[in-house]
Amino acid sequence: MNSGTENTAGQPGNRGDVSTRLAVFEQHRSLLFSIAYRMLGSVADAEDALQDAFIRWRQAADVEIRSPKAFLVTIVSRVCINHLQSARVQREAYVGEWLPEPLVTDPRGNASEIVQVDESVSMALLLLLERLTPEERAVFLLHEVFDYKHAEIAAALSLTEANCRQLLRRAQQHVRLARPRFKAPTREHMELLERFYQAAGSGDIDKLLTLLSTDVEMHTDGGGKAAALVLPISGADKVARVVVQGLRRLMALNVLQRIVEINGVPGFVSYVDGRPQSVFTVEARNGRIEAIYVVTNPEKLTHLPPPPS
């Protein structure tokens, strides 16, 4: 990412050559989107950040650009930091709990838009990243996920290397210890999700309790625009009963459902009258569900695939 050392082959020859600028931008789009989504936790906001970055890229003079990739990563990182700084006030006024916007990572879909589908796009980690300052979040992601060196990050964010190291240590204290140590295989995760859904659908509380960890947490996000819990709930018995009640209400709406990979794990997308109504995913470890995430805010469901035909 070092703007002073990378080969500039393919760099646009003049700022007026929009088609060349666009081609270079598209070459790095998946990386830029991957950074922006992890920074912002929103598909829509990530796309806005890329649009803003492209405008600045198109208007930049050639003399400013030694490495197109480094230049673009710098722009996107700074746009995201600015957005997060202004978004904190909005988050404080958000109705209920805020969850990341579900990202479809199904290989059958448009998964190519994001680099490296791993735990760094999981609902759990994206929620943990909310504890960080915008600068801590940027340093943590660029170093831990995208393997940039401190010197490269410092250049991109206009920081000193010492400041980068300090920000990274603080971020790791907040995040690393709480990160999942390993992820359940996809088939095992899918089987657990299906058994859980069957038990919930039949109202079998005892069966549900065998599938939930004792300190399981349930997180929901309606944004004040759809049904959701005001605050997260925890505890196997309480979560099991809320899930059974919620699924009964959902099925009464005559929903259609499909299984889609969401944020790296299988999940259920429910549709009512041809529109996405909710996304349901779980975090699993050691054969038990440790967290449940339900997003019903319609503004966060617009990028989901269509209902089954």
Side-chain angles (χ1 to χ4, degrees):
M1 193 172 72
N2 192 321
S3 61
T5 60
E6 185 176 316
N7 190 308
T8 58
Q11 183 176 317
N14 60 79
R15 58 183 293 180
D17 190 349
V18 177
S19 62
T20 303
R21 287 280 169 119
L22 177 59
V24 174
F25 187 86
E26 290 298 326
Q27 178 184 348
H28 301 295
R29 173 180 285 275
S30 61
L31 171 63
L32 302 176
F33 180 83
S34 298
I35 293 171
Y37 175 75
R38 288 170 170 89
M39 279 288 291
L40 304 176
S42 165
V43 176
D45 289 343
E47 291 176 344
D48 287 346
L50 261 63
Q51 184 175 7
D52 191 354
F54 177 71
I55 292 172
R56 299 187 190 194
W57 160 248
R58 189 181 62 187
Q59 294 175 343
D62 287 345
V63 70
E64 301 176 28
I65 305 169
R66 295 183 181 179
S67 160
K69 179 181 176 183
F71 189 86
L72 288 167
V73 169
T74 295
I75 293 174
V76 166
S77 299
R78 292 179 181 177
V79 167
C80 289
I81 287 173
N82 292 338
H83 179 89
L84 286 173
Q85 289 170 339
S86 62
R88 288 197 176 275
V89 175
Q90 299 173 11
R91 297 275 172 88
E92 290 172 1
Y94 195 81
V95 178
E97 184 179 14
W98 181 93
L99 291 179
E101 182 177 348
L103 174 68
V104 177
T105 52
D106 196 317
R108 295 168 296 181
N110 192 23
S112 60
E113 70 181 353
I114 187 162
V115 171
Q116 197 174 317
V117 176
D118 56 19
E119 67 167 292
S120 66
V121 295
S122 69
M123 286 281 186
L125 187 60
L126 291 174
L127 268 183
L128 287 173
L129 293 178
E130 287 294 301
R131 304 178 186 181
L132 308 182
T133 66
E135 291 82 5
E136 288 171 348
R137 190 164 182 161
V139 171
F140 180 85
L141 288 170
L142 290 173
H143 186 275
E144 298 286 282
V145 178
F146 298 101
D147 297 323
Y148 285 114
K149 296 179 175 61
H150 287 294
E152 296 173 316
I153 299 170
L157 304 183
S158 296
L159 301 169
T160 66
E161 288 189 48
N163 197 2
C164 277
R165 294 180 190 280
Q166 185 180 41
L167 289 169
L168 180 62
R169 281 195 297 271
R170 286 209 301 258
Q172 288 171 336
Q173 289 172 357
H174 284 293
V175 175
R176 180 172 276 175
L177 294 178
R179 293 170 77 177
R181 284 172 290 180
F182 59 88
K183 178 177 143 182
T186 301
R187 178 175 292 183
E188 178 185 324
H189 193 114
M190 189 68 248
E191 290 174 352
L192 181 61
L193 182 64
E194 289 178 337
R195 282 188 286 141
F196 175 82
Y197 220 73
Q198 290 169 0
S202 64
D204 190 339
I205 297 292
D206 291 336
K207 179 63 175 177
L208 277 177
L209 294 177
T210 68
L211 303 175
L212 299 172
S213 66
T214 56
D215 57 351
V216 61
E217 294 184 344
M218 183 172 184
H219 304 267
T220 64
D221 177 351
K225 301 175 177 64
L229 302 171
V230 176
L231 296 171
I233 60 171
S234 60
D237 187 70
K238 183 182 295 185
V239 168
R241 296 182 186 283
V242 168
V243 166
V244 168
Q245 294 169 2
L247 189 56
R248 283 175 181 165
R249 289 194 293 268
L250 177 63
M251 300 314 291
L253 298 176
N254 192 30
V255 297
L256 290 175
Q257 293 181 314
R258 65 181 299 177
I259 297 173
V260 178
E261 186 181 287
I262 301 288
N263 292 79
V265 298
F268 283 100
V269 180
S270 298
Y271 301 84
V272 175
D273 296 329
R275 297 179 181 177
Q277 187 272 348
S278 61
V279 168
F280 181 99
T281 60
V282 302
E283 177 189 345
R285 193 182 305 166
N286 296 329
R288 296 215 174 198
I289 293 171
E290 296 200 334
I292 296 170
Y293 304 97
V294 183
V295 178
T296 56
N297 184 343
E299 293 182 356
K300 295 185 176 183
L301 305 178
T302 58
H303 293 88
L304 293 172
S309 56

